[in-house]
Amino acid sequence: GAVVSQHPSRVICKSGTSVKIECRSLDFQATTMFWYRQFPKQSLMLMATSNEGSKATYEQGVEKDKFLINHASLTLSTLTVTSAHPEDSSFYICSASSLDWNSPLHFGNGTRLTVT
Amino acid sequence: DAKTTQPNSMESNEEEPVHLPCNHSTISGTDYIHWYRQLPSQGPEYVIHGLTSNVNNRMASLAIAEDRKSSTLILHRATLRDAAVYYCILRVPLGNTPLVFGKGTRLSVIA
């Protein structure tokens, strides 16, 4: 079945540094990718929607200058957490969608970010 | 987005069937009913989806009420690996629409 690969699975960084998370669709063209954040014991919260070749659309309350999203190809989207702070520590999950609306969304296995 | 309501948690014995309910009284005529599950420390996993008719696949069955205001995910024989949070989500039939997650139902399976 369709697979979405997310890397790294875990990352620890120091406060003030930047971290890049990659999301790849391995066997289909992802015209749209979604980025979610999940805090402990909470549900997934949509951060942004990115379409290949265009700027991402961010949900209300998500800072676009802090969470930089690039979707330069149909198989790769990246999320960069800039100037990370401890409150950015969370589980970040990407999801990919093709143009076939009847196909399910496929999710990466998430990235556990810890900012010290 | 049309909202869904699920019980916070449910418990099942291993190898017994599990019926996970979902209410979606404000569903529109074009909304598909999707079910995903999330195992601990993993991304969500697709389970099943349907529009009006009941659906079966290798993972589960989806029973949809005639008025579409509720649905039930059926796991025919729960295993310990089925312990997860199950999300019932309504999705419009457009390829670039995200899934909006509610709180889901946390299923515990007892050996």
Side-chain angles (χ1 to χ4, degrees):
Chain A
V3 177
V4 173
S5 173
Q6 190 172 339
H7 179 80
S9 57
R10 289 178 178 273
V11 59
I12 301 173
C13 72
K14 292 187 176 180
S15 191
T17 62
S18 296
V19 173
K20 181 185 283 188
I21 302 169
E22 291 188 351
C23 181
R24 294 181 184 272
S25 59
L26 296 185
D27 57 357
F28 70 101
Q29 292 186 328
T31 51
T32 305
M33 288 189 173
F34 308 101
W35 287 94
Y36 294 83
R37 180 167 54 181
Q38 185 175 32
F39 292 107
K41 300 197 183 297
Q42 294 187 22
S43 189
L44 284 78
M45 290 175 50
L46 180 67
M47 298 176 68
T49 299
S50 75
N51 293 299
E52 185 263 338
S54 60
K55 289 184 178 180
T57 302
Y58 290 81
E59 295 298 302
Q60 192 171 11
V62 178
E63 300 174 55
K64 62 179 178 155
D65 294 330
K66 180 170 185 61
F67 299 100
L68 302 179
I69 292 173
N70 183 283
H71 191 168
S73 78
L74 286 171
T75 59
L76 174 65
S77 176
T78 60
L79 167 67
T80 302
V81 183
T82 62
S83 187
H85 288 97
E87 56 264 33
D88 298 324
S89 298
S90 188
F91 192 50
Y92 292 86
I93 305 167
C94 71
S95 174
S97 171
S98 68
L99 279 176
D100 180 4
W101 55 264
N102 202 28
S103 291
L105 290 187
H106 300 280
F107 289 81
N109 264 336
T111 296
R112 175 81 56 197
L113 170 64
T114 303
V115 184
T116 60
Chain B
D1 298 303
K3 189 177 174 182
T4 63
T5 305
Q6 299 176 252
N8 288 334
S9 62
M10 290 185 66
E11 203 173 79
S12 171
N13 293 318
E14 197 177 10
E15 298 193 5
E16 289 188 356
V18 183
H19 290 231
L20 296 164
C22 180
N23 288 320
H24 29 78
S25 59
T26 59
I27 189 170
S28 74
T30 55
D31 286 340
Y32 277 69
I33 302 160
H34 284 245
W35 284 82
Y36 284 74
R37 71 180 185 181
Q38 186 178 25
L39 280 65
S41 298
Q42 292 188 29
E45 173 189 29
Y46 169 77
V47 178
I48 200 167
H49 76 286
L51 183 62
T52 56
S53 304
N54 294 343
V55 184
N56 300 295
N57 66 20
R58 62 177 179 82
M59 288 183 71
S61 295
L62 175 59
I64 302 173
E66 200 169 325
D67 64 4
R68 300 209 327 125
K69 293 186 176 182
S70 65
S71 60
T72 303
L73 179 69
I74 302 165
L75 306 180
H76 296 285
R77 286 183 65 199
T79 69
L80 297 177
R81 289 179 297 177
D82 291 322
V85 179
Y86 287 78
Y87 296 98
C88 168
I89 304 169
L90 302 182
R91 188 180 188 219
V92 296
L94 289 173
N96 59 356
T97 54
L99 293 175
V100 178
F101 288 80
K103 295 182 179 179
T105 296
R106 181 173 298 277
L107 175 66
S108 302
V109 180
I110 302 168

